[in-house]
Structures are given as C-alpha cells and as structure tokens.
Amino acid sequence: MTKSLLSLLAPAVLAGSLFVSPARADEPALLLVDGHNDLFIRYMDCPSCPRGLDAYDIRNRTDGDTDIPRLREGGVGAILLNVFSSDKTTKGTLGAFDFLRHLELKYRDHFEVAATAADVRRIHGAGRIALIPTMEGAGRLENDPLMVRTLQRLGLRAVTLAYQTNDLADGANATPRHNGLSDLGRAIVAEMNDSGILVDLSHVSTKVMHDVLDVTKAPVIFSHSSARSLVNVERNVPDDVLKRVAKNSGIVMVSLVPYFTSQAHADWVKREEVLSNQIGQDFEAKRITQAEGDRLWTEWHAANPEPKVSVSAVADHIEHIRTIAGIDHVGIGSDFDGMPNKITGLEDTSKFPNLFAELRRRGWNAEELQKLAGENFLRVMEDAEKISRK
Ligand SMILES: [Zn+2]
C-alpha cells in the first residue's frame, strides 16, 4: 500500500479490520521460510522405511504433511529441511546428503538446495522452493570439527546442538549431564561459527541456551520453538532468553506444534504419556493383554478428547515474542511431518496463509509480515555468512 493511499484511509481500515485473507493485491509476495520440516521421516523413519524417492512421490498428494502441490498452495519459499538417514554411521550421514541431492534432481523444477541467503532469494525469484539443509541433533557431527567442515561443504547450514543430551550439550527433556554446554560443545559451536553453520537452540536445555549465547560469534536460531511464558514446556523459550536472542540478533521461529502452543494441550499430552507408560508397563509385566491395553487407550481418549488449538493461539506466541524480543527476531518453524497432533487450520504445508490472515486481521502490516515470514531469517543467515568469512 502506498503512503498517499494510507493517508486517505480511516484508522479502522489501517488497523486491518477490513482487509482479511488473502494478501492484498498491492502487497509484495511474502518470501516464507519454514524453520523446520521433517519430510525425511517419510523416507527414513516410517513403518515401511527406509524407502526410495519413487515410493513416496511428493508430486502427488501424500498422506503426510508435505508435498509439492501443498507447498505451492501454502506459498512456501524455503524450508529448513532436516537431513538424516536411518543408518547412524558416517556412511549413513553421507547417504542422507546424497539422498537430498537426488531429491533436488528429481524435483528440479520445484526444488534447489541453497548455500546462501542470496541463493534463497534467487531460487525464490526463479519460482522454485529453496531447501536449506539442517540436522536435528549433533550426533552425526561425531564430536569432530572435521565433520562440521565436511558436512558444510555438502550443504549443511544449521544444526540443533542436542536432540537429546549428547557429548556437546544437555537436551530439553533429559537429565542434565554437563550442566549446559560441554567444553567439546563450545569447540563445536566455534567451528560452526567459522563454517557458517547456524546453531539451532530448539531441543536444548535452558542452561545450554544461555551458555551458547555467552560464546557464539554468530546469531542463533530456534528453528521450531514457542514462548514459555505462554506455555510452560522445556521446548519453549523463556523471556530472559528472548531478550538475549534480540541482543544476539538471532531469531525464534514459532512452531505449529499444538502442545508448545496451548497449555491445555501440553497438559493433555502429559496425561496421555502417563497412560501410555502405565499401559506399557502393565503389558510388559503381563498384568494386561494387548487387547485390554488397546481398550484402555480407546476409553481414555473417548473420555479425554484432545483439546483443540487455534490459529489464533499461534499468533499469540508470535506477538509475545514480538513484544519481548522485537519484530526483527521472530519467524515461523512448523515441524510438519514431525508431529502427531495438529493445530486446527494449520494442518499441513498448504495452510500457512491462514496464519498470515490472522495476523493481518490483528493489524500486522506488509513490512512486519515480510520480516516474520522470511526476511528476519535471511538476515540471520547473511550475518552468519559474514562472520564465517572473517
Ligand atoms: Zn524437533
């Protein structure tokens, strides 16, 4: 919208109340970067996995959350793609990056692996979707700076330091082993800074968040986490860390995971876990049969339906992070194909426009939406590139 037009409009219109979805015709298209996608699970970690590219062709609608038609419908410009294989050896890691290149080749009209933020913009400009390779958990780095540098050359651009506690760092939901980041973890963070690989603090303990922010030379990312002061789970980011992320020039990419988004859902998941453990133990100890376990499970779910979580609840997390850290430090990181439950209205990769519609309804302007959608992440990526060249 131009300035002259803006000045003619009444305040209620400026607040966005008359402009809902879809995007206004005079708004530039959003470059949407999704901070976390687990499509590889469909090839590497499913009942019939591992399977090849042809066995799960994403040109067609899949039974998962991600495929090309729905990525296009959702206006996705780039995805941080979790690259892994079911084989945990070095050869398995190399195989996962080989698989990524085959994925890129098979769908070359739609995908291209991006090495830099400039690449992401170029690929988006050419009408393709940029794939930014990440790893969820640093296990495949094998505690070795050599692997950091080598995987960087294969395309790796971000790593979650600990999916569960490892030799580098304590995980979010695990018994701490290092009281935060280990000395080895500090060395790997330094190597990642030098290599231009983003340090991803989703899945690490709160102490690790602080420890990394103490030592990192480059901005950090949280690829899929929400605000802990709204939902008290370890995977979310507390306000004091949000303030430090702003100083670090980093970004928190708000997840679309229901139990990070709604306290009622988080509490429900906790109770479901207790039930699941109880049934498991009773079955192991032969106190109940499989059929009895199934019946208990079904009865519990009938009596305790999953709480619904709305698009608006996600917008609340985004706005909280904007309030505490600022508009330059918030993004979106879905976790599609990596979560069993869904937010109503944000069930798959086609649904992102519902979130932008909600934010427009709340008065977000085009510049703010662009920052949230992708500009903030691309700034972080550019900063990391500059620091690595130094
Ligand atoms: Zn995750």
Side-chain angles (χ1 to χ4, degrees), residues 117-242:
D119 265 358
V120 173
R121 292 185 197 284
R122 175 185 55 75
I123 293 163
H124 177 67
R128 290 190 296 275
I129 297 164
L131 305 179
I132 305 168
T134 76
M135 290 194 320
E136 187 167 32
R140 288 168 194 285
L141 298 177
E142 302 179 32
N143 300 332
D144 193 336
L146 168 75
M147 285 298 280
V148 177
R149 295 191 296 271
T150 303
L151 293 177
Q152 193 276 348
R153 287 185 199 106
L154 290 181
L156 183 66
R157 288 299 177 271
V159 176
T160 315
L161 270 190
Y163 183 70
Q164 260 143 18
T165 297
N166 56 26
D167 292 339
L168 309 181
D170 295 327
N173 301 313
T175 315
R177 233 174 69 199
H178 312 288
N179 185 31
L181 188 65
S182 70
D183 288 340
L184 188 59
R186 270 176 256 279
I188 293 292
V189 167
E191 190 67 44
M192 286 170 69
N193 286 167
D194 288 346
S195 303
I197 294 178
L198 295 165
V199 180
D200 181 356
L201 295 180
S202 282
H203 282 287
V204 301
S205 75
T206 307
K207 181 67 164 53
V208 174
M209 299 174 193
H210 284 288
D211 287 356
V212 170
L213 285 161
D214 286 342
V215 298
T216 183
K217 287 182 281 179
V220 299
I221 67 168
F222 285 82
S223 63
H224 56 307
S225 293
S226 302
R228 199 181 297 176
S229 75
L230 299 190
V231 177
N232 189 18
V233 294
E234 284 287 312
R235 282 282 285 101
N236 284 347
V237 189
D239 284 357
D240 57 343
V241 174
L242 288 176

Side-chain angles (χ1 to χ4, degrees), residues 35 45 47 53 76 80 111 115 124-125 153 157 167 169 197 266 278 284 329 335 376 390:
D45 191 19
L53 285 164
V76 176
L80 277 83
F111 288 158
H124 177 67
R153 287 185 199 106
R157 288 299 177 271
D167 292 339
I197 294 178
Q278 190 59 55
E284 287 291 309
H329 307 287
D335 208 11
N376 287 339
K390 267 182 197 161

Side-chain angles (χ1 to χ4, degrees), residues 85 89-99 140 147 150-151 154:
S85 82
T89 65
T90 310
K91 196 172 152 189
T93 304
L94 297 177
F97 279 84
D98 187 56
F99 189 88
R140 288 168 194 285
M147 285 298 280
T150 303
L151 293 177
L154 290 181

Side-chain angles (χ1 to χ4, degrees), residues 5-17:
L5 180 56
L6 269 174
S7 61
L8 294 173
L9 295 172
V13 177
L14 290 178
S17 58

Side-chain angles (χ1 to χ4, degrees), residues 16 38 42 62 86 120 126 191 201 227 299 362 379:
D38 266 324
R42 304 291 170 183
T62 64
S86 36
V120 173
E191 190 67 44
L201 295 180
E299 281 174 4
R362 293 179 179 212
R379 181 204 71 235

